[in-house]
Amino acid sequence: MPLQGSLRIERMCQLAQVSRAGFYRCLKGRAGIKEEMEVRSQIQEIAVEHRRRYGYRRITAELPRRGMVVNHKRVLRIMREDSLISAHPGTLFGTNFT
């Protein structure tokens, strides 16, 4: 957080006419966006390294090895949003070649 001088957070919020809860909610939101982008970047990197053959379960298992603990549902959501869901060769285009 940038230097705030001698003023406390409470006093700065009074001067700016914002609630302390709103200030901290905004502060948390910024950190959340940065963390979301870092997770998204790691997921994309893993998917590209393995030529999009890794599904969300394997990517979820790989993330702790890289120092990130992420829920499998979050990984699946991000992969869907970024169109990184792997296509199985037998189910490509709705046909079954087996």
Side-chain angles (χ1 to χ4, degrees):
M1 179 182 295
L3 293 176
Q4 61 195 33
S6 61
L7 290 177
R8 295 187 343 222
I9 299 286
E10 184 177 12
R11 179 66 180 142
M12 289 191 307
C13 289
Q14 285 175 344
L15 292 172
Q17 298 179 345
V18 296
S19 68
R20 278 192 341 224
F23 169 76
Y24 285 111
R25 188 173 28 251
C26 180
L27 190 65
K28 183 180 178 186
R30 289 182 186 167
I33 292 170
K34 183 178 178 183
E35 191 238 351
E36 178 78 14
M37 294 306 294
E38 180 63 30
V39 170
R40 190 175 299 270
S41 173
Q42 286 293 315
I43 290 171
Q44 290 173 354
E45 187 177 309
I46 293 168
V48 169
E49 280 178 19
H50 298 283
R51 290 176 273 158
R52 296 180 55 169
R53 292 189 178 158
Y54 269 21
Y56 76 96
R57 289 185 182 105
R58 278 186 170 176
I59 289 179
T60 303
E62 178 69 27
L63 287 170
R65 294 182 201 129
R66 296 180 182 217
M68 303 183 96
V69 179
V70 183
N71 186 303
H72 69 279
K73 294 179 218 173
R74 185 174 178 194
V75 172
L76 180 59
R77 176 184 52 82
I78 290 171
M79 289 180 71
R80 281 185 179 146
E81 289 172 358
D82 293 348
S83 301
L84 294 174
I85 300 296
S86 61
H88 297 286
T91 58
L92 204 58
F93 304 113
T95 58
N96 194 354
F97 296 113
T98 54

